[in-house]
């Protein structure tokens, strides 16, 4: 399907041309003048002249204004990335007759990964809109076509609750008493519970949600996913963070959170166990090992889950990680994440603990081979090195990996390395 908006370019109107001479092509005069008689006396001649003057005054003249045709510019669907070939119209904030300025939003398109604002290349008046909300448009389309909007499936009306009096069964009559016999127990009454109003509603899945659903199911059908768990003591890092967070924010202008230490710990472990950072090329049946670390971080947005990528985390500091994640989080809330921000990635970290998740099994983000799931930190009773039972802030970690490429030994080794680095952050400093 194709859709576009035609906007008249801004032009100054030509001045109206008015011509008073009878020879002008834009002047059409219609007059009825009878032929003079062949012979007239002097008084009659004067009368004829007055008659001619009145005829001239009553002459009907029509001045035509030349029509100026304003050029019309068609706004094409912009290019939205190499893998994006079409989009769905989700909003049309302007209508025919509206005036738009240069760079004003005229259409909002939703793709598999991100929403795109289509803007006017120049100011002008909207002449016509060929397309409706929910229409699918092709990238680079230059031929406008109007598409009728698909009907919205309305929810079925809820069944009306039956009156309680009509639904209730009549009470059976009590049995007659028999002389010298115990009275029979009263019969149980049939009770019908009113279900009340039970409405349902339907809403069309967004294009992003459809794409997420497809990719997650493809991941389940493709990878041989296996999840291993490990618990980590967050106490030492939390104490270190409490001591230095104010100074860290004062120097770097960003708060010190949990994600930076997990990104750095995972990056170090990825370099220790290269198979976790590798992937399978199904087309050539080869294993691709990456000597760089691009860590994808799952971020919640109003339109769904997005996964921006931290590039070359092996060269990033704690401050670089926190600053970049904060920027991605702001972009996700504003809806300004670009496709380049979410493309690629060799490993993913998902923080379900933000929402209070105690434990879960994350799904691999294809074509990656593993994903780490963080969960909520809870005070639990543990036995310390001296045999004492103490309360410590503990977190469960889950690593889901593709068993086609990664053996159990490698998966457990990687997750244990991450847990050790979080438990004792000095390992990150000394690279051990």
């Amino acid at each position: 399907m194709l859709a576009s908006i035609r906007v008249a370019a801004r032009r100054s109107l030509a001045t109206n041309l008015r011509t008073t001479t009878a020879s002008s092509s834009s002047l059409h005069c219609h007059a009825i003048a009878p032929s003079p008689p062949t012979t007239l006396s002097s008084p009659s001649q004067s009368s004829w002249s007055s008659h001619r003057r009145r005829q001239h005054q009553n002459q009907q003249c029509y001045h035509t204004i030349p029509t100026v045709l304003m050029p019309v510019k068609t706004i094409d669907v912009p290019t939205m990335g190499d893998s994006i070939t079409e989009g769905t119209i989700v909003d049309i904030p302007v209508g025919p007759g509206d005036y738009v300025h240069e760079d004003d939003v005229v259409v909002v398109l939703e793709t598999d990964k991100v929403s795109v604002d289509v803007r006017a290349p120049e100011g002008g008046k909207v002449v016509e809109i060929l397309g409706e909300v929910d229409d699918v448009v092709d990238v680079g389309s230059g031929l406008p076509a109007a598409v009728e909007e698909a009907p919205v499936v309305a929810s079925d009306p809820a069944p009306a609750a039956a009156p309680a009096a009509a639904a209730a069964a009549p009470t059976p009559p009590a049995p007659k008493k028999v002389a010298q016999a115990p009275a029979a127990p009263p019969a149980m009454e049939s009770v019908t519970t009113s279900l009340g109003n039970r409405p349902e509603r339907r809403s069309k899945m967004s294009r992003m949600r459809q794409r997420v659903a497809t990719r997650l199911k493809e991941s389940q059908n493709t990878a041989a996913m296996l999840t291993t768990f490990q618990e980590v003591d967050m106490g030492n890092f939390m104490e270190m963070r409490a001591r230095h967070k104010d100074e860290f924010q004062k120097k770097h202008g960003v708060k010190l959170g949990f994600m930076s230490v997990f990104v750095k710990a995972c990056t170090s472990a990825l370099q220790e166990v290269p198979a976790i950072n590798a992937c399978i090329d199904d087309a050539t049946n080869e294993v691709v090992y990456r000597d760089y670390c691009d860590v994808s971080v799952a971020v919640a947005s109003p339109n769904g889950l997005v996964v921006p990528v931290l590039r070359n985390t092996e060269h990033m500091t704690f401050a670089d990680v926190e600053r970049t994640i904060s920027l991605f989080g702001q972009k996700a809330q504003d809806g300004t994440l670009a496709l380049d921000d979410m493309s690629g990635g060799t490993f993913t970290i998902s923080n379900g603990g933000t929402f209070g998740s105690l434990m879960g099994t994350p799904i691999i983000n294809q074509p990656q081979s593993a994903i780490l799931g963080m969960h909520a930190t809870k005070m639990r009773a543990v036995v310390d090195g001296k045999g004492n039972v103490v309360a410590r802030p503990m977190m469960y970690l889950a690593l889901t990996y593709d068993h086609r490429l990664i053996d159990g030994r490698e998966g457990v080794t990687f997750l244990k390395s991450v847990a050790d680095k979080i438990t004792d952050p000095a390992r990150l400093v000394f690279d051990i």
Side-chain angles (χ1 to χ4, degrees), residues 116-163:
V116 178
D117 293 337
V118 180
R119 301 178 181 273
E122 58 186 64
K125 181 180 180 183
V126 178
V127 176
E128 188 177 8
I129 297 178
L130 299 178
E132 301 287 346
V133 174
D134 292 337
D135 286 351
V136 178
V137 295
D138 295 329
V139 171
S141 171
L143 298 176
V147 179
E148 185 179 357
E149 181 179 1
V152 179
V153 180
S155 60
D156 295 335

Side-chain angles (χ1 to χ4, degrees), residues 199-229:
E200 293 182 356
R201 61 187 181 90
R202 294 171 181 255
S203 62
K204 187 174 182 180
M205 290 180 65
S206 66
R207 193 176 187 88
M208 183 183 298
R209 174 52 56 188
Q210 293 180 44
R211 183 57 178 170
V212 169
T214 301
R215 285 181 57 83
L216 291 178
K217 192 58 183 175
E218 287 177 351
S219 180
Q220 285 186 323
N221 296 336
T222 301
M225 288 188 287
L226 179 63
T227 303
T228 184
F229 298 92

